[in-house]
Amino acid sequence: MNQENLIKPAIQFNDVKGSALSGLKVRNSPQFHVTLTNCDSVQIVGITIQAPESSPNTDGIDTFQSTNIVIKDSTIGTGDDCVGIGDGSSNININDITCGPGHGIRRLTL
């Protein structure tokens, strides 16, 4: 895949281990809002993500090749997936999420 064709998220975590993200508000990213790639033992708690229902490719939180991720007590409203679980991700725990507008939680295949 050509580098300029890659989706560029508003916030991207790469190779993060044993960290937490809390109390953040992200609005109207032109594409993905938050991505986690090659991360382990990350907690995302009490965040708010907002984008218009009509905005395409504005996933809320996506994980790729990540393990032991907790997403909880958050509100996610986007024009695409609220949470996407990508290839190679495992042990992703999602609790007490308000999702909408958006397509919910789904397994991503790229």
Side-chain angles (χ1 to χ4, degrees), residues 90-110:
S90 62
N91 197 25
I92 310 298
N93 294 297
I94 303 166
N95 298 295
D96 299 317
I97 298 294
T98 300
C99 175
H103 302 153
I105 300 167
R106 79 174 179 114
R107 177 94 169 130
L108 302 173
T109 54
L110 300 176

Side-chain angles (χ1 to χ4, degrees), residues 33-73:
H33 284 78
V34 178
T35 63
L36 293 92
T37 304
N38 296 317
C39 294
D40 181 46
S41 301
V42 174
Q43 290 192 31
I44 298 175
V45 180
I47 70 167
T48 300
I49 296 174
Q50 296 175 323
E53 184 174 4
S54 61
S55 57
N57 300 318
T58 54
D59 289 15
I61 301 170
D62 286 337
T63 68
F64 302 98
Q65 301 291 325
S66 295
T67 58
N68 304 313
I69 307 299
V70 173
I71 303 168
K72 67 179 185 176
D73 302 327

